[in-house]
Amino acid sequence: MPHAIAWIFESLLRLLLPARGRHRSPEPPPAARAADTPTVRLPRVPMLRGEDNRLVRPYLVAHERRQEEQKRRARRRALVLATYGVDIGPRRIHGVEVTA
């Protein structure tokens, strides 16, 4: 059994690791000539500052929209209930409990 494990381990290592130096070709691979390759010039991009752009994280925008929608719904609900004579105004004004 130990021989079988060593044989499997050895064959896996041969597949994964590169060959030893004596198995490689003696000539180095031809290098590409640098003079023939065109140089690539990247366009200059101006430095961006945080104050100049208006990037906002989407979850913050979604949260603000959700809050505004809740306020609109609350105003509409108050108007609908007011038509039935129900006043759902503020319960506390300047920290004092208001009784109806």
Side-chain angles (χ1 to χ4, degrees), residues 5-78:
I5 294 172
W7 177 78
I8 291 172
F9 189 68
E10 191 175 320
S11 62
L12 284 175
L13 283 177
R14 282 188 190 142
L15 288 174
L16 296 176
L17 298 177
R20 294 186 183 136
R22 62 182 174 198
H23 295 286
R24 295 184 186 152
S25 73
E27 304 164 358
R33 292 173 43 191
D36 294 341
T37 58
T39 58
V40 177
R41 289 192 163 223
L42 299 174
R44 290 188 62 115
V45 179
M47 194 69 163
L48 294 177
R49 297 182 325 180
E51 301 87 32
D52 294 341
N53 57 12
R54 296 186 52 177
L55 294 177
V56 180
R57 298 195 174 153
Y59 56 86
L60 292 176
V61 174
H63 177 69
E64 290 174 354
R65 286 181 185 163
R66 210 174 306 120
Q67 282 182 336
E68 288 184 19
E69 183 61 33
Q70 286 174 350
K71 288 179 186 176
R72 275 192 221 116
R73 271 189 260 129
R75 287 193 300 265
R76 289 179 190 147
R77 188 180 313 119

